[in-house]
Amino acid sequence: MSPSDEQLFPGETALITARGLKKAYGRTDALRGASLDLHAGEILAVTGTSGSGKSTLLHCLAGIVRPDDGSVTYGGERIDRASEERLGELRRTDFGVVFQFGQLIPELTALDNVALPLLLAGVRRGPAQQRAGEWLERFGVRGQADLRPGEMSGGQSQRVALARALVTGPKAVFADEPTGALDTLAGEQVMTALVHTAREAGTAVLLITHDARTAAYADREVWLRDGVVDPGADAVTVQEAARHEG
Amino acid sequence: MSTRHVLLGLLAAGPCHGYDLKRQYDARFPQARPLAYGQVYTTLQRLVRDGLAAVEGTDSDGGPERTLYGSTDEGARELARWAGEITAPAPFVTNEIFAKVVVSILVAAAAARTGQGGPDAAAHLRAQRAAHMERMRELTALKAAPGADLSTVLSADYALVHLDADVRWMTTTTARIDTLTAEVHAA
Ligand SMILES: Nc1ncnc2c1ncn2[C@@H]1O[C@H](COP(=O)(O)OP(=O)(O)OP(=O)(O)O)[C@@H](O)[C@H]1O
Ligand SMILES: [Mg+2]
């Protein structure tokens, strides 16, 4: 644990711990030693300029991309070394992911896209669809239940993707710019629904956003700069600011 | 924006007379209203009265005699205090933050000439962002609380969009701090 995290979360243990993550694509260093803790039930915003490695970091944490170096630990288990089979299982049961550029299945309706993770987890079709419908409702897209991704707006697809990520009641949700295609009011409704759901269920959320108003829904924020996590001016300087105000 | 501190910041580069201070101020802060001469002189007199600046002599340059003012050690300390202080995250404080960034760059340049450490404008912007984000989280919690009435939501929104504008400005300024530093040094 870095000193700043100890200050922020005394006595808490992290749900997911990343240490010294490195990832290169050809000659591009997307991550150059990124470290981060995601605590159980916390909502953490990750910000940083375009190309700073945010999506790559999310993919490493969620076990979608293997880092070249460093470790990712989830509940004591090394994700970066887990078998493909185990990673698949984790993604079905413990993690929910919302990709930056959507990943809904084009042939399925919104309702079936959301019901799919439940079917894969062994829930029967009827109850799965029932629950999927409730989740579409939460995110304000029940009316689009029978549409396929190609027939929905970008914002509607993002909301369906969020519903799909949350439907199985995961321990951690990784959301990459989930409000990127939404107007302000729709973005706020989605964030409110996401935050309420996460708080209720104790779900940890890693939220990538470049929008300060979206980041303000999180408990804290960290900055990615050239593939390294800046522990956030937050840890130290907010206390400084408080002193100055006093 | 604190004219008193900005003038003190301009004096960090070396002694100067009132007319020159006004010119520098107007050039460095083009978005602010031009300073009136009267305000420059009353501000300088108050700085001298408070021991933050001192008369360093006169300079005639062929024309009428003009008084040269310089910063005192106490002035430098007061300037460092002000420039390092986080601005309370309220809407419309960008001018104040901009003044602190420019003054930090000026003071850092003066300190570097004497081989001393100076303020770090980029670190200041990061700390200011953290203070803004903390306030934005409070406002967001207020409006997202179950049962918040629309008046609360709308007034929190008003503050949030303005704080967001400040944060955006800080983000682009942070990304361009090297260019700004070069420009301030060249002027
Ligand atoms: N699959 C890939 N193949 C090649 N290069 C990649 C790949 N994924 C990412 N990169 C490169 O790695 C760097 C980091 O990319 P990443 O997508 O993580 O950034 P980001 O912070 O999410 O950016 P944005 O805000 O634009 O989404 C970029 O320079 C990008 O070009
Ligand atoms: Mg990305």
Side-chain angles (χ1 to χ4, degrees):
Chain A
M1 223 189 238
S2 68
S4 58
D5 284 328
E6 268 164 26
Q7 282 161 19
L8 276 176
F9 296 94
E12 277 182 54
T13 50
L15 179 70
I16 298 181
T17 300
R19 287 294 173 268
L21 292 184
K22 291 185 184 162
K23 180 72 194 173
Y25 292 105
R27 268 181 292 159
T28 307
D29 288 320
L31 294 178
R32 321 168 179 242
S35 299
L36 180 93
D37 288 329
L38 179 65
H39 297 269
E42 110 171 299
I43 302 176
L44 173 64
V46 176
T47 35
T49 51
S50 194
S52 58
K54 303 181 296 292
S55 295
T56 308
L57 176 66
L58 179 145
H59 293 153
C60 287
L61 290 173
I64 295 157
V65 161
R66 269 185 217 275
D68 300 334
D69 196 9
S71 65
V72 180
T73 314
Y74 167 66
E77 181 181 351
R78 284 286 294 267
I79 302 249
D80 53 296
R81 292 181 180 163
S83 67
E84 286 304 321
E85 195 190 356
R86 174 64 183 144
L87 289 176
E89 185 183 320
L90 281 174
R91 288 206 296 271
R92 279 194 305 278
T93 56
D94 291 36
F95 298 162
V97 182
V98 180
F99 292 93
Q100 184 169 13
F101 302 107
Q103 286 232 330
L104 296 175
I105 296 171
E107 294 79 18
L108 298 183
T109 63
L111 187 76
D112 287 336
N113 261 289
V114 177
L116 185 63
L118 293 171
L119 297 175
L120 292 173
V123 178
R124 278 181 300 114
R125 191 166 183 82
Q129 292 205 329
Q130 161 90 26
R131 246 154 81 191
E134 290 162 12
W135 280 94
L136 289 177
E137 177 88 53
R138 274 201 181 213
F139 285 105
V141 281
R142 180 127 210 183
Q144 282 71 36
D146 295 331
L147 299 184
R148 283 170 229 285
E151 302 163 334
M152 288 185 281
S153 74
Q156 288 163 351
S157 302
Q158 276 185 322
R159 286 182 266 179
V160 173
L162 267 171
R164 187 183 61 174
L166 285 156
V167 72
T168 55
K171 291 269 192 304
V173 167
F174 303 90
D176 199 345
E177 299 274 8
T179 58
L182 299 173
D183 63 51
T184 307
L185 200 53
E188 296 195 348
Q189 284 160 356
V190 164
M191 282 311 299
T192 307
L194 174 61
V195 166
H196 279 176
T197 306
R199 298 262 187 251
E200 222 172 79
T203 313
V205 179
L206 185 113
L207 172 71
I208 292 183
T209 180
H210 62 263
D211 172 40
R213 273 194 279 166
T214 303
Y217 281 89
D219 301 314
R220 61 177 180 125
E221 79 170 355
V222 293
W223 266 83
L224 255 188
R225 247 178 265 283
D226 299 328
V228 177
V229 177
D230 185 328
D234 270 27
V236 214
T237 43
V238 166
Q239 294 159 12
E240 243 170 57
R243 262 210 308 282
H244 284 302
E245 271 171 32
Chain B
M1 177 150 69
S2 167
T3 308
R4 173 184 164 83
H5 289 99
V6 172
L7 291 188
L8 208 48
L10 295 174
L11 287 177
C16 210
H17 47 72
Y19 176 73
D20 245 11
L21 281 177
K22 174 201 157 37
R23 258 197 15 224
Q24 284 190 40
Y25 179 98
D26 292 347
R28 293 204 187 273
F29 303 102
Q31 85 288 10
R33 254 180 300 137
L35 269 190
Y37 289 111
Q39 197 187 349
V40 176
Y41 287 104
T42 45
T43 307
L44 282 170
Q45 277 156 16
R46 283 198 200 121
L47 286 172
V48 170
R49 181 199 66 198
D50 296 341
L52 303 178
V55 174
E56 303 252 324
T58 52
D59 140 26
S60 67
D61 216 11
E65 261 198 2
R66 291 179 298 196
T67 312
L68 276 174
Y69 294 87
S71 174
T72 61
D73 287 349
E74 203 185 327
R77 278 194 296 277
E78 168 58 18
L79 185 64
R81 187 200 61 74
W82 173 80
E85 187 177 77
I86 301 301
T87 305
F92 308 117
V93 294
T94 300
N95 279 351
E96 174 91 11
I97 301 168
F98 183 58
K100 286 180 179 176
V101 168
V102 171
V103 165
S104 291
I105 292 171
L106 286 169
V107 172
R113 280 196 293 275
T114 60
Q116 289 164 322
D120 179 345
H124 182 79
L125 282 169
R126 283 200 292 277
Q128 183 67 55
R129 179 197 165 90
H132 264 62
M133 286 307 302
E134 183 62 25
R135 182 74 190 118
M136 287 179 75
R137 281 192 284 268
E138 286 167 16
L139 289 162
T140 302
L142 202 68
K143 71 174 219 193
D149 56 27
L150 189 56
S151 304
T152 305
V153 171
L154 293 179
S155 71
D157 271 344
Y158 178 81
L160 278 164
V161 294
H162 287 96
L163 290 168
D164 181 49
D166 285 353
V167 169
R168 280 168 201 253
W169 177 85
M170 284 183 243
T171 305
T172 50
T173 304
T174 303
R176 297 154 97 184
I177 198 81
D178 291 343
T179 313
L180 178 68
T181 303
E183 195 178 295
V184 168
H185 286 180

